[in-house]
C-alpha cells in the first residue's frame, strides 16, 4: 500500500522482514491496528534463513500458514549435512536425521526465508488491522511521554510524512537505525567473519545426494578453491553457496567475478560443464551480539535488531518470530487497558536470556565446523567419525527450540527448581515459565492442547478439576478479562504435566505457564484472581 499523509496507529513496526510481518500478523489476531513500513520494494529475493524450527512451525500452524510454508520447503527427513570433497566425489560422512518424538503437533521445516515472507504477506493481505507499506524508510523516530512519532519517506518520490503511535517495534535487521535512534547498544563482537553469499540456479538432479540433504560442506583438494557450504533451498534447482572471504574484512585480492562464481560452483559440485545461472550475490558479516536491553521507553527491539547470531544453528529468524510472539499479547493487553505498563517490563527479562542462550548455541556450532574440517583433511577415519557424530548436536536442537524457561514479573514461581536446558533433548513440563506441553485431545490427532492458547489467558485443570472451571467463569465475569478454561481428559505420566487430578495451571496467551497450583485450594477463584492480578497489575 502507498501512503503519503500523516496518520496515527497503535503500533508502528519498522521493518517488514519475517519478524516485522509476524508482529503485524500477531497484532492483527489481537485486533490491534498497526502499520509496517519496509524500505525495500517487496519481500526478499534471497533465501537467507533456511529453517523454521518446531516452535515457529507451531505458531504457523496456529496462524493457518503451516501447510503452505511446508509445501514450499524441503521434504521431511532432509535435515542432514553431508561433508564431501565435492558433491559428485568422495563423501567423508553425514549427520543423521533428528528423531521426531510425539512432543509437538507439528515438526520443523527446512524452508527459505523468501517463502516465509511471502506467506506472511499473503496472510496479512486482507487484514483490517495491519497495513504494510513497502518502499518506505524510517528517517527518524522520536519518543514522548504518551507515544512515538516516526518520520518516514517514500523511496519512490522522496515524499516524507509521519506516523504517530503508542509504541514502536524496531524489526529493521542487524544494522537497525531504529535501535540506534532509541539509544540502545549491542554487546559482543560485531564481526567474527566476512562471508560471501552466492545464490545460483542449476539442475543437480544427476547427483543422488542432492535430493537427500539440506546442506553440503565442501572441502576441496585444490588449495586454490575456497571451502564452501552449499545449501539446498528448494530441493530442485536453487542453491546458495556460502564462503568465508575474510575475518574482519574481505581479504580477497579482488572480489569474485560472476564467471569465478560459476567456476566455483562447477568445482564444488564436481560437474565441469554445469549450466549455472547467478540469481543474487551479497557480502555479510558473522556477528555474536545481543542488545543491552530490548526496550527503551516506548520502543522495543525484535529479531536481528535485538540479537545477531552466527547462522550455524538457524536460530535467527526463529528467535525473532518468538520475540514477536512474546511481545504482541503484552502490547495488546496494555493497549486495551487490561494490564498496566509494568507487564511490558517482562519482555526484556524473558527474551534477552533466550537470545544469549541461542547465541551461545550458535557459536558452539560454528566451532564444530572448524573441528570437522580439520578431521576431514586429516583423513583419519576415527577422527572423522567422532566429529561427524558430534555434528548431530547442530541440527538436533528441539531442546533449544522448546525448552527455554521464562523468569519475570509475568511468571509466578512455585518454588520448584527448573531443569537445565539440554539443547538436543526436550523435556516437557508444566512448571511456571515453560511452554505448556502438547497432548493430543482426540483420537484423530488433530486437536492439541497447544490449540487452546492464542489470544487469552487459559486455565487448564486436571481431569477432576471442575471447580477450577467454575472459578475461571467467576473470575472472568468479575474482572472482565479474556479468560478461558479447559479440563484435561486425562493426565499421562510421560507428558510432563504434574498438576494431577485436581490441580490447575494458568497459561498465558503465548502458551507459557504463568502460574501452577497442583492441588485444589479452599477458594480457587480467590487464588486465580491473585495470580492474574499479580501478573497484569
Amino acid at each position: 500500500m502507498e501512503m503519503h499523509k500523516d496518520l496515527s496507529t497503535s503500533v508502528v513496526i519498522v521493518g517488514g522482514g519475517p519478524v516485522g510481518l509476524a508482529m503485524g500478523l500477531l497484532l492483527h489476531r489481537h485486533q490491534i491496528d498497526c502499520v509496517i513500513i519496509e524500505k525495500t520494494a517487496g519481500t526478499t529475493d534471497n533465501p537467507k534463513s533456511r529453517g523454521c524450527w518446531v516452535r515457529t512451525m507451531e505458531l504457523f500452524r496456529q496462524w493457518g500458514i503451516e501447510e503452505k510454508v511446508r509445501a514450499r520447503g524441503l521434504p521431511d527427513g532432509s535435515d542432514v549435512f553431508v561433508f564431501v570433497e565435492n558433491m559428485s566425489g568422495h563423501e567423508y560422512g553425514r549427520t543423521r536425521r533428528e528423531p521426531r518424538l510425539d512432543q509437538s503437533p507439528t515438526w520443523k521445516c527446512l524452508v527459505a526465508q523468501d517463502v516465509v515472507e511471502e506467506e506472511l504477506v499473503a496472510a496479512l493481505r486482507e487484514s483490517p488491522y495491519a497495513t504494510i507499506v513497502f518502499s518506505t524508510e524510517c528517517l527518524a523516530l522520536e519518543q514522548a511521554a504518551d507515544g512515538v512519532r516516526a518520520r518516514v519517506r517514500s523511496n519512490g518520490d522522496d515524499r516524507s510524512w509521519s506516523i504517530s503511535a503508542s509504541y514502536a517495534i524496531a524489526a529493521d535487521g542487524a544494522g537497525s537505525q531504529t535501535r540506534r535512534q532509541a539509544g540502545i547498544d549491542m554487546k559482543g563482537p560485531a564481526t567474527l567473519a566476512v562471508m560471501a553469499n552466492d545464490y545460483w540456479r542449476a539442475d543437480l538432479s544427476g547427483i543422488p545426494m542432492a535430493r537427500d540433504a539440506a546442506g553440503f560442506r565442501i572441502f576441496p583438494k585444490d588449495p586454490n578453491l575456497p571451502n564452501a557450504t552449499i545449501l539446498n533451498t528448494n530441493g530442485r534447482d536453487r542453491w546458495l553457496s556460502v564462503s568465508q572471504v575474510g575475518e574482519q574484512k574481505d581479504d580477497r585480492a579482488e572480489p569474485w567475478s560472476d564467471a569465478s562464481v560459476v567456476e566455483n560452483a562447477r568445482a564444488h559440485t564436481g560437474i565441469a560443464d554445469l549450466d549455472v545461472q547467478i540469481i543474487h550475490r551479497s557480502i555479510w558479516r558473522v556477528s555474536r551480539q545481543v542488545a543491552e536491553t530490548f526496550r527503551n521507553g516506548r520502543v522495543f527491539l525484535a529479531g536481528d535488531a535485538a540479537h545477531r547470531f552466527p547462522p550455524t544453528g538457524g536460530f535467527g529468524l526463529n528467535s525473532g518470530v518468538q520475540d514477536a510472539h512474546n511481545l504482541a499479547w503484552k502490547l495488546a493487553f496494555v493497549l486495551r487497558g487490561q494490564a498496566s505498563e509494568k507487564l511490558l517490563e517482562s519482555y526484556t527479562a524473558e527474551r534477552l536470556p533466550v537470545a544469549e542462550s541461542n547465541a551461545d548455541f550458535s557459536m558452539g556450532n560454528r566451532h564444530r565446523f572448524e573441528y570437522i574440517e580439520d578431521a576431514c583433511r586429516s583423513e583419519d577415519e576415527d577422527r572423522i567419525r567422532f566429529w561427524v557424530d558430534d555434528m548431530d548436536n547442530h541440527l538436533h536442537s528441539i531442546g533449544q527450540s522448546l525448552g527455554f524457561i521464562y523468569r519475570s514479573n509475568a511468571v509466578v514461581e512455585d518454588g520448584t527448581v527448573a531443569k537445565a536446558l539440554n539443547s538436543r533433548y526436550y523435556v516437557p513440563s508444566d512448571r511456571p515459565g515453560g511452554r505448556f506441553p502438547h497432548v493430543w485431545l482426540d483420537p484423530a490427532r488433530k486437536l492439541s492442547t497447544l490449540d487452546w492458547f492464542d489470544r487469552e489467558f487459559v486455565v487448564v485443570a486436571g481431569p477432576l478439576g471442575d471447580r477450577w472451571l467454575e472459578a475461571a467463569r467467576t473470575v472472568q465475569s468479575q474482572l472482565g478479562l479474556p479468560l478461558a478454561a479447559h479440563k484435561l481428559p486425562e493426565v499421562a505420566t510421560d507428558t510432563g504435566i504434574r498438576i494431577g487430578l485436581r490441580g490447575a495451571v494458568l497459561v498465558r496467551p503465548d502458551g507459557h505457564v504463568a502460574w501452577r497450583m497442583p492441588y485444589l485450594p479452599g477458594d480457587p477463584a480467590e487464588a486465580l484472581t491473585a495470580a492474574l492480578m499479580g501478573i497484569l497489575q
Side-chain angles (χ1 to χ4, degrees), residues 120-132:
L120 287 170
V121 168
L124 282 166
R125 190 161 286 130
E126 304 299 326
S127 171
Y129 302 103
T131 300
I132 309 172

Side-chain angles (χ1 to χ4, degrees), residues 18-38:
V19 177
L21 293 170
M23 178 64 76
L25 185 53
L26 282 157
L27 291 174
H28 157 82
R29 295 178 68 82
H30 285 283
Q31 300 182 352
I32 299 296
D33 58 298
C34 63
V35 175
I36 306 166
I37 58 173
E38 167 56 40

Side-chain angles (χ1 to χ4, degrees), residues 76-299:
D76 288 349
S78 57
D79 55 331
V80 171
F81 259 97
V82 186
F83 303 94
V84 294
E85 179 183 338
N86 63 62
M87 290 176 66
S88 302
H90 176 65
E91 177 180 327
Y92 296 104
R94 62 176 63 196
T95 61
R96 291 170 288 235
R97 300 170 180 173
E98 183 171 14
R100 179 176 179 177
L101 305 178
D102 197 17
Q103 297 178 319
S104 172
T106 184
W107 191 234
K108 63 185 178 181
C109 178
L110 291 164
V111 63
Q113 180 174 321
D114 52 351
V115 167
V116 174
E117 291 187 15
E118 289 168 10
E119 295 301 338
L120 287 170
V121 168
L124 282 166
R125 190 161 286 130
E126 304 299 326
S127 171
Y129 302 103
T131 300
I132 309 172
V133 188
F134 288 110
S135 299
T136 301
E137 62 179 318
C138 183
L139 300 176
L141 185 68
E142 301 172 352
Q143 288 200 63
D146 59 349
V148 298
R149 181 173 178 268
R151 192 70 184 167
V152 302
R153 178 178 63 196
S154 169
N155 293 335
D157 52 24
D158 280 342
R159 282 187 285 179
S160 63
W161 38 289
S162 66
I163 305 174
S164 298
S166 296
Y167 298 98
I169 311 296
D172 47 344
S176 174
Q177 292 295 326
T178 313
R179 184 193 66 245
R180 293 189 177 95
Q181 292 167 6
I184 301 175
D185 293 327
M186 302 291 282
K187 298 183 298 181
T191 305
L192 294 167
V194 178
M195 310 295 291
N197 271 15
D198 298 305
Y199 188 31
W200 44 278
R201 182 184 292 107
D203 178 9
L204 299 184
S205 59
I207 302 177
M209 73 169 65
R211 297 187 297 272
D212 302 334
F216 307 86
R217 184 63 175 165
I218 315 294
F219 303 126
K221 293 290 189 182
D222 185 346
N224 296 315
L225 279 172
N227 291 349
T229 299
I230 297 182
L231 301 175
N232 186 351
T233 73
N234 70 351
R236 297 184 302 278
D237 63 350
R238 297 193 179 204
W239 311 89
L240 180 67
S241 294
V242 184
S243 300
Q244 181 169 332
V245 295
E247 293 186 359
Q248 294 299 309
K249 60 181 181 61
D250 189 338
D251 291 329
R252 293 173 296 183
E254 58 184 29
W256 294 328
S257 65
D258 286 356
S260 296
V261 171
V262 170
E263 289 306 311
N264 287 344
R266 288 171 174 168
H268 288 150
T269 59
I271 304 176
D273 60 349
L274 183 67
D275 181 16
V276 179
Q277 301 173 28
I278 296 174
I279 302 171
H280 186 275
R281 299 180 61 195
S282 62
I283 300 293
W284 56 282
R285 296 173 183 272
V286 177
S287 303
R288 194 279 185 210
Q289 291 191 305
V290 177
E292 292 182 339
T293 178
F294 286 9
R295 177 195 185 190
N296 184 351
R298 292 179 171 268
V299 180

Side-chain angles (χ1 to χ4, degrees), residues 33-48:
D33 58 298
C34 63
V35 175
I36 306 166
I37 58 173
E38 167 56 40
K39 65 181 179 181
T40 64
T43 56
T44 183
D45 59 356
N46 192 306
K48 296 183 179 178

Side-chain angles (χ1 to χ4, degrees), residues 207-466:
I207 302 177
M209 73 169 65
R211 297 187 297 272
D212 302 334
F216 307 86
R217 184 63 175 165
I218 315 294
F219 303 126
K221 293 290 189 182
D222 185 346
N224 296 315
L225 279 172
N227 291 349
T229 299
I230 297 182
L231 301 175
N232 186 351
T233 73
N234 70 351
R236 297 184 302 278
D237 63 350
R238 297 193 179 204
W239 311 89
L240 180 67
S241 294
V242 184
S243 300
Q244 181 169 332
V245 295
E247 293 186 359
Q248 294 299 309
K249 60 181 181 61
D250 189 338
D251 291 329
R252 293 173 296 183
E254 58 184 29
W256 294 328
S257 65
D258 286 356
S260 296
V261 171
V262 170
E263 289 306 311
N264 287 344
R266 288 171 174 168
H268 288 150
T269 59
I271 304 176
D273 60 349
L274 183 67
D275 181 16
V276 179
Q277 301 173 28
I278 296 174
I279 302 171
H280 186 275
R281 299 180 61 195
S282 62
I283 300 293
W284 56 282
R285 296 173 183 272
V286 177
S287 303
R288 194 279 185 210
Q289 291 191 305
V290 177
E292 292 182 339
T293 178
F294 286 9
R295 177 195 185 190
N296 184 351
R298 292 179 171 268
V299 180
F300 296 84
L301 311 183
D304 286 356
H307 41 69
R308 307 168 183 167
F309 314 142
T312 39
F315 273 85
L317 179 151
N318 293 279
S319 298
V321 170
Q322 289 154 37
D323 292 341
H325 191 230
N326 180 284
L327 179 58
W329 73 269
K330 297 172 183 177
L331 286 173
F333 271 66
V334 172
L335 285 164
R336 290 195 298 256
Q338 295 166 334
S340 73
E341 286 254 348
K342 183 182 176 184
L343 177 63
L344 300 177
E345 296 174 5
S346 65
Y347 177 58
T348 292
E350 293 181 350
R351 291 305 300 170
L352 193 152
V354 175
E356 290 283 4
S357 174
N358 288 343
D360 289 342
F361 176 74
S362 303
M363 281 294 293
N365 288 330
R366 177 173 172 78
H367 293 315
R368 277 196 183 94
F369 274 100
E370 299 169 2
Y371 285 108
I372 200 163
E373 177 181 354
D374 290 343
C376 290
R377 293 199 180 280
S378 75
E379 300 187 355
D380 183 315
E381 290 189 5
D382 291 336
R383 186 177 176 185
I384 293 170
R385 186 179 298 108
F386 175 87
W387 284 107
V388 169
D389 182 69
D390 187 72
M391 281 296 297
D392 283 344
N393 292 294
H394 179 176
L395 289 175
H396 298 196
S397 58
I398 190 170
Q400 195 73 23
S401 296
L402 299 181
F404 54 87
I405 302 291
Y406 289 149
R407 296 175 179 86
S408 75
N409 59 306
V411 174
V412 181
E413 295 285 348
D414 68 353
T416 58
V417 178
K419 294 182 179 179
L421 178 70
N422 184 325
S423 63
R424 189 165 175 176
Y425 302 102
Y426 167 59
V427 179
S429 173
D430 62 1
R431 185 185 181 278
R435 160 192 168 278
F436 188 82
H438 151 71
V439 176
W440 289 117
L441 298 170
D442 62 330
R445 293 178 170 246
K446 298 292 185 183
L447 181 64
S448 165
T449 48
L450 302 192
D451 299 326
W452 288 340
F453 318 124
D454 187 5
R455 292 175 280 255
E456 57 196 357
F457 279 83
V458 178
V459 174
V460 178
L464 302 181
D466 292 288

